[in-house]
Amino acid sequence: MSTRGYNDELHSERSYVEGLYTRLDEERAQTKAKHRAALLGDGGSPMEREFEVRALAKEVKRLDVADNGLCFGRLDSLTGEHSYVGRIGIFDEKDEFEPLLLDWRAPAARPFYVATAVNPENMHRRRQFHTRGRQVVDFTDEILGRPDSDERAGRGDAALLAAVNAPRGDGMRDIVATIQAEQDEIIRLEHPGVLIIEGGPGTGKTVVALHRVAYLLYTQRERMERSGVLVVGPNPAFLKHIDRVLPSLGETNVVFMTTGDLLPGLHVTAEDAPAAARMKGSLQILDVLTAAVADRQRLPEQPVTIELADVTARIDAATAQWARDEARTSGLPHNEARAKFVEIVTWVLTERAIARIGRGWLTRDDREAWEQLRADLLTELADNAAFTAAIDDLWPILAPETLLAQLYSSTDRLRAAGADQSLWRADGEAWTVSDVPLLDELIDLLGRDKSVDEEAERERKREIAYAAAVLDNMVGRADHMDDDDHLFAQDMLYAEDLAERFLERDTRELAERAAADRDWTYRHIVVDEAQELSEMDWRVLMRRCPGRSFTVVGDLAQRRSAAGAVSWGKLMEPYVPGRWVYRSLTVNYRTPAEIMSIAAAVLAEFAPDVVPPESVRASGVAPWSRKVGADDLSNAIEEFVREEADRDGTSIVIGPPGAPGAVPASATKGLEFDAVLVVEPERILAEGPRGAADLYVALTRATQRLGVLHLDVLPQALAGLTENCHSK
């Protein structure tokens, strides 16, 4: 293509994209006007108006995010037709809604990502735009099928290389303009069960999983939006790193959590030692929890005396045994089964008391007197402090936190539950991440406190009764009202509806409501760094998603948790037999080849059977190492920080506990930085297999530059580093 021809094409593309932005601005202005009208409007029910306001607000957000790279490419078919591909779909309302811009998730847009010279998907050319703000500043063409002599052809990787070489910012960016064919196949996979995406560092598995969520929300919006999506990540820094991706794609009904956040009201980050984490993460802990609950369902060592007005009653071991057996066989959770326990004990005590009180004058034929005496005894028992204390001792109402804390802080209770004494700790409530699934399990084992639920129901009925009285009063005055302000009963619908008017309406967004509700169930769950989750973690997540629809992202080679996964099949088959599929990503888009060769040497030592991902590029910058003395370590780190502060992008120092200014490798999982300085790798490796996995993670965070500072002899696996007396 001649320079003049290229300039003409560029001018034409600029004009078309400018027209798309004009259409976007018009649609956004119309939507904002509708939103304002809905906020001020008084038509329809409050619930209908609230629904409309929320829907319009969501549409405004969708249109707002489209400003960032609205259109990024064009497809030319073999028949000469062309289609533009972008962040959202835009249609020409004047031409039977002809698409002016294809949403990247639409089926018609798929060839933009998967067409190749060998398999052109009936396309002749793929054109990728390079933009600055709203303006197209350049474009590159890739001729599909039979290459021609176009001098600008064959540069289809230009956009990808520009993206991976660009300085990193504060958060992960979407990849809608540069999705690769192997990634697109996974993003559009319609499998209804569990999809496992495994890939080494830098293969884009996280961003692929997030784009798959956006795709599923596009294709199954009605089903998925009502329940929302949960994204589970390894740490808060990771969640902060990725939390912009889905909003940048116009999707907001998403909850982000770590496994330490899965129980509302708790935010746990502390970790157990490997042995304790392994024990708590295993399904064997279920037997311990069951035994710990059963241990609190006691029998009295000596009969418990209950002094009543006319008789002394006693709760003996036989009575408690019968009541306990009946309560346990009821199949109810502990707190709910307490009612059965109380019922049996009360029946035995009242039967014995009636027999003693009525000896010589009362027979069962005198039913009225018999029932009256029983009623009096029941009232007396209910008000008897000794009886209440005895019940609380033999079958207490338990909260998960109370039971688990008392279990951990008592060697006797641990022994009775069949638990290893290594679980003992003085502060039983010093929760760790491994405790969260145990607390969640105990909610089901213990059940609710029935008395609290009954009081809540009584309060609801009082509100309804009040609303009903107001309704009756309004209807009763109907004949005294003018036609203009006449209020009919049918206008009020039901008393329950009116009661809700007097209660605070829950106006939180879906994500807020879901995060605060332990019983909320999601339509789909994304689990990142899934190799770190224990069997007990998975029980929690399976409860949160009855439909078993998951996108699972991980790399078994990076597992550091003693309770983590060792096999995807072993993990998934118990929950979704035959309903999980496996896909792998093999291309490293993050780590330059120079750095990946060093990381691969570390990988070969602790996971020799794992093939490292192949880097898509080389940076031309050799990773370096530098030996320093203990007194010089801080100065060397400060030197690195100063030098990187003058460069574009981000940087980080990673090291073992106590290393000055360093963060542990575990806190950087899933993150990426332009420059990384690894401090004291020999100490990281000293932690054994977990340390080797941590070092592998640390080495693969860099997108451009890697340096290593060591105090002792450099580990053999890092022999490929260039030794320098000064950092670069």
Short mmCIF file of all heavy atoms in Angstrom, two decimals, residues 3-19 84 127 129 135-139:
data_model
loop_
_atom_site.label_atom_id
_atom_site.label_comp_id
_atom_site.label_asym_id
_atom_site.label_seq_id
_atom_site.Cartn_x
_atom_site.Cartn_y
_atom_site.Cartn_z
N THR A 3 2.03 5.23 0.43
CA THR A 3 1.86 6.15 1.56
C THR A 3 0.55 6.92 1.43
O THR A 3 -0.18 7.10 2.41
CB THR A 3 3.04 7.13 1.62
OG1 THR A 3 4.24 6.40 1.78
CG2 THR A 3 2.87 8.10 2.77
N ARG A 4 0.24 7.33 0.19
CA ARG A 4 -1.01 8.07 0.00
C ARG A 4 -2.22 7.19 0.29
O ARG A 4 -3.18 7.60 0.93
CB ARG A 4 -1.08 8.60 -1.44
CG ARG A 4 -2.36 9.37 -1.72
CD ARG A 4 -2.34 9.98 -3.11
NE ARG A 4 -3.56 10.70 -3.38
CZ ARG A 4 -3.81 11.36 -4.51
NH1 ARG A 4 -2.89 11.36 -5.48
NH2 ARG A 4 -4.96 11.99 -4.68
N GLY A 5 -2.12 5.93 -0.20
CA GLY A 5 -3.23 5.02 0.05
C GLY A 5 -3.42 4.76 1.53
O GLY A 5 -4.55 4.70 2.04
N TYR A 6 -2.29 4.61 2.23
CA TYR A 6 -2.38 4.38 3.68
C TYR A 6 -3.01 5.59 4.37
O TYR A 6 -3.87 5.44 5.24
CB TYR A 6 -0.98 4.11 4.25
CG TYR A 6 -0.94 4.20 5.76
CD1 TYR A 6 -1.49 3.20 6.56
CD2 TYR A 6 -0.38 5.31 6.38
CE1 TYR A 6 -1.47 3.30 7.94
CE2 TYR A 6 -0.35 5.42 7.76
CZ TYR A 6 -0.90 4.41 8.54
OH TYR A 6 -0.90 4.52 9.90
N ASN A 7 -2.59 6.80 3.99
CA ASN A 7 -3.13 8.01 4.62
C ASN A 7 -4.64 8.14 4.37
O ASN A 7 -5.39 8.57 5.25
CB ASN A 7 -2.40 9.25 4.10
CG ASN A 7 -0.98 9.34 4.65
OD1 ASN A 7 -0.69 8.81 5.72
ND2 ASN A 7 -0.11 10.01 3.91
N ASP A 8 -5.07 7.79 3.15
CA ASP A 8 -6.50 7.83 2.84
C ASP A 8 -7.26 6.83 3.72
O ASP A 8 -8.34 7.13 4.24
CB ASP A 8 -6.74 7.52 1.36
CG ASP A 8 -6.28 8.64 0.45
OD1 ASP A 8 -6.07 9.76 0.96
OD2 ASP A 8 -6.12 8.39 -0.76
N GLU A 9 -6.68 5.61 3.85
CA GLU A 9 -7.31 4.60 4.69
C GLU A 9 -7.38 5.07 6.15
O GLU A 9 -8.39 4.89 6.83
CB GLU A 9 -6.53 3.29 4.61
CG GLU A 9 -6.73 2.53 3.32
CD GLU A 9 -8.00 1.71 3.34
OE1 GLU A 9 -8.21 0.93 4.28
OE2 GLU A 9 -8.80 1.87 2.40
N LEU A 10 -6.29 5.65 6.63
CA LEU A 10 -6.26 6.12 8.01
C LEU A 10 -7.30 7.20 8.24
O LEU A 10 -8.00 7.20 9.27
CB LEU A 10 -4.85 6.64 8.34
CG LEU A 10 -4.66 7.17 9.77
CD1 LEU A 10 -4.93 6.08 10.80
CD2 LEU A 10 -3.23 7.72 9.95
N HIS A 11 -7.43 8.12 7.28
CA HIS A 11 -8.43 9.18 7.40
C HIS A 11 -9.85 8.58 7.45
O HIS A 11 -10.70 9.01 8.25
CB HIS A 11 -8.32 10.15 6.22
CG HIS A 11 -9.37 11.22 6.22
ND1 HIS A 11 -9.36 12.29 7.10
CD2 HIS A 11 -10.50 11.36 5.44
CE1 HIS A 11 -10.41 13.05 6.88
NE2 HIS A 11 -11.12 12.51 5.88
N SER A 12 -10.09 7.57 6.61
CA SER A 12 -11.40 6.93 6.58
C SER A 12 -11.71 6.23 7.91
O SER A 12 -12.81 6.34 8.44
CB SER A 12 -11.45 5.92 5.43
OG SER A 12 -12.66 5.19 5.45
N GLU A 13 -10.69 5.53 8.44
CA GLU A 13 -10.91 4.83 9.71
C GLU A 13 -11.15 5.81 10.84
O GLU A 13 -11.98 5.59 11.72
CB GLU A 13 -9.72 3.92 10.03
CG GLU A 13 -9.43 2.86 8.99
CD GLU A 13 -10.53 1.80 8.87
OE1 GLU A 13 -11.68 2.05 9.25
OE2 GLU A 13 -10.24 0.70 8.36
N ARG A 14 -10.41 6.91 10.84
CA ARG A 14 -10.61 7.93 11.87
C ARG A 14 -12.03 8.47 11.83
O ARG A 14 -12.68 8.64 12.86
CB ARG A 14 -9.61 9.07 11.69
CG ARG A 14 -8.21 8.75 12.15
CD ARG A 14 -7.26 9.90 11.83
NE ARG A 14 -5.94 9.67 12.41
CZ ARG A 14 -4.89 10.44 12.16
NH1 ARG A 14 -5.01 11.49 11.34
NH2 ARG A 14 -3.72 10.17 12.72
N SER A 15 -12.52 8.71 10.64
CA SER A 15 -13.88 9.26 10.49
C SER A 15 -14.91 8.27 11.00
O SER A 15 -15.88 8.65 11.68
CB SER A 15 -14.14 9.60 9.02
OG SER A 15 -13.27 10.60 8.57
N TYR A 16 -14.72 6.99 10.69
CA TYR A 16 -15.70 5.98 11.12
C TYR A 16 -15.70 5.87 12.65
O TYR A 16 -16.77 5.84 13.27
CB TYR A 16 -15.38 4.63 10.51
CG TYR A 16 -16.49 3.62 10.71
CD1 TYR A 16 -17.55 3.55 9.80
CD2 TYR A 16 -16.51 2.78 11.81
CE1 TYR A 16 -18.58 2.65 9.99
CE2 TYR A 16 -17.54 1.88 12.02
CZ TYR A 16 -18.58 1.81 11.10
OH TYR A 16 -19.62 0.93 11.29
N VAL A 17 -14.53 5.82 13.23
CA VAL A 17 -14.46 5.68 14.69
C VAL A 17 -15.01 6.94 15.37
O VAL A 17 -15.68 6.85 16.41
CB VAL A 17 -13.01 5.39 15.13
CG1 VAL A 17 -12.89 5.43 16.66
CG2 VAL A 17 -12.56 4.03 14.60
N GLU A 18 -14.75 8.10 14.80
CA GLU A 18 -15.33 9.33 15.35
C GLU A 18 -16.85 9.26 15.33
O GLU A 18 -17.53 9.69 16.26
CB GLU A 18 -14.85 10.55 14.55
CG GLU A 18 -13.40 10.92 14.81
CD GLU A 18 -12.90 12.00 13.86
OE1 GLU A 18 -13.72 12.48 13.03
OE2 GLU A 18 -11.71 12.35 13.92
N GLY A 19 -17.40 8.68 14.25
CA GLY A 19 -18.85 8.52 14.17
C GLY A 19 -19.37 7.57 15.24
O GLY A 19 -20.46 7.77 15.79
N TYR A 84 -16.60 -3.89 12.13
CA TYR A 84 -15.74 -3.30 13.15
C TYR A 84 -16.00 -4.01 14.48
O TYR A 84 -17.13 -4.35 14.81
CB TYR A 84 -16.00 -1.80 13.27
CG TYR A 84 -15.49 -1.02 12.08
CD1 TYR A 84 -16.25 -0.89 10.91
CD2 TYR A 84 -14.23 -0.44 12.11
CE1 TYR A 84 -15.78 -0.20 9.81
CE2 TYR A 84 -13.74 0.26 11.00
CZ TYR A 84 -14.52 0.38 9.85
OH TYR A 84 -14.03 1.06 8.77
N ARG A 127 -7.57 -6.09 10.63
CA ARG A 127 -6.93 -4.78 10.82
C ARG A 127 -7.01 -4.42 12.30
O ARG A 127 -8.10 -4.45 12.90
CB ARG A 127 -7.61 -3.72 9.97
CG ARG A 127 -7.14 -2.29 10.22
CD ARG A 127 -7.64 -1.35 9.16
NE ARG A 127 -6.96 -1.60 7.87
CZ ARG A 127 -7.24 -0.95 6.74
NH1 ARG A 127 -8.20 -0.01 6.74
NH2 ARG A 127 -6.59 -1.23 5.62
N PHE A 129 -6.32 -1.49 15.17
CA PHE A 129 -6.11 -0.05 15.34
C PHE A 129 -5.20 0.22 16.54
O PHE A 129 -5.24 -0.49 17.55
CB PHE A 129 -7.45 0.66 15.58
CG PHE A 129 -8.40 0.57 14.43
CD1 PHE A 129 -9.78 0.50 14.65
CD2 PHE A 129 -7.95 0.54 13.12
CE1 PHE A 129 -10.67 0.42 13.60
CE2 PHE A 129 -8.83 0.45 12.06
CZ PHE A 129 -10.20 0.39 12.30
N GLN A 135 -8.81 8.86 19.23
CA GLN A 135 -8.33 8.98 17.85
C GLN A 135 -7.52 7.76 17.44
O GLN A 135 -6.68 7.26 18.20
CB GLN A 135 -7.48 10.24 17.69
CG GLN A 135 -7.10 10.52 16.24
CD GLN A 135 -6.29 11.79 16.11
OE1 GLN A 135 -5.40 12.05 16.90
NE2 GLN A 135 -6.60 12.59 15.08
N VAL A 136 -7.76 7.30 16.22
CA VAL A 136 -6.95 6.26 15.63
C VAL A 136 -5.68 6.91 15.09
O VAL A 136 -5.73 7.80 14.24
CB VAL A 136 -7.70 5.55 14.48
CG1 VAL A 136 -6.80 4.51 13.82
CG2 VAL A 136 -8.97 4.90 14.98
N VAL A 137 -4.52 6.47 15.59
CA VAL A 137 -3.26 7.08 15.17
C VAL A 137 -2.50 6.20 14.18
O VAL A 137 -1.58 6.67 13.49
CB VAL A 137 -2.36 7.39 16.39
CG1 VAL A 137 -3.02 8.42 17.28
CG2 VAL A 137 -2.05 6.12 17.17
N ASP A 138 -2.88 4.92 14.11
CA ASP A 138 -2.16 4.01 13.22
C ASP A 138 -2.98 2.73 13.12
O ASP A 138 -3.92 2.51 13.89
CB ASP A 138 -0.77 3.71 13.80
CG ASP A 138 0.12 2.95 12.82
OD1 ASP A 138 -0.26 2.84 11.64
OD2 ASP A 138 1.16 2.43 13.25
N PHE A 139 -2.64 1.92 12.13
CA PHE A 139 -3.25 0.60 12.07
C PHE A 139 -2.27 -0.37 11.42
O PHE A 139 -1.35 0.04 10.70
CB PHE A 139 -4.59 0.61 11.30
CG PHE A 139 -4.47 0.95 9.85
CD1 PHE A 139 -4.07 0.00 8.90
CD2 PHE A 139 -4.80 2.23 9.39
CE1 PHE A 139 -3.98 0.31 7.56
CE2 PHE A 139 -4.71 2.55 8.04
CZ PHE A 139 -4.30 1.58 7.12
#
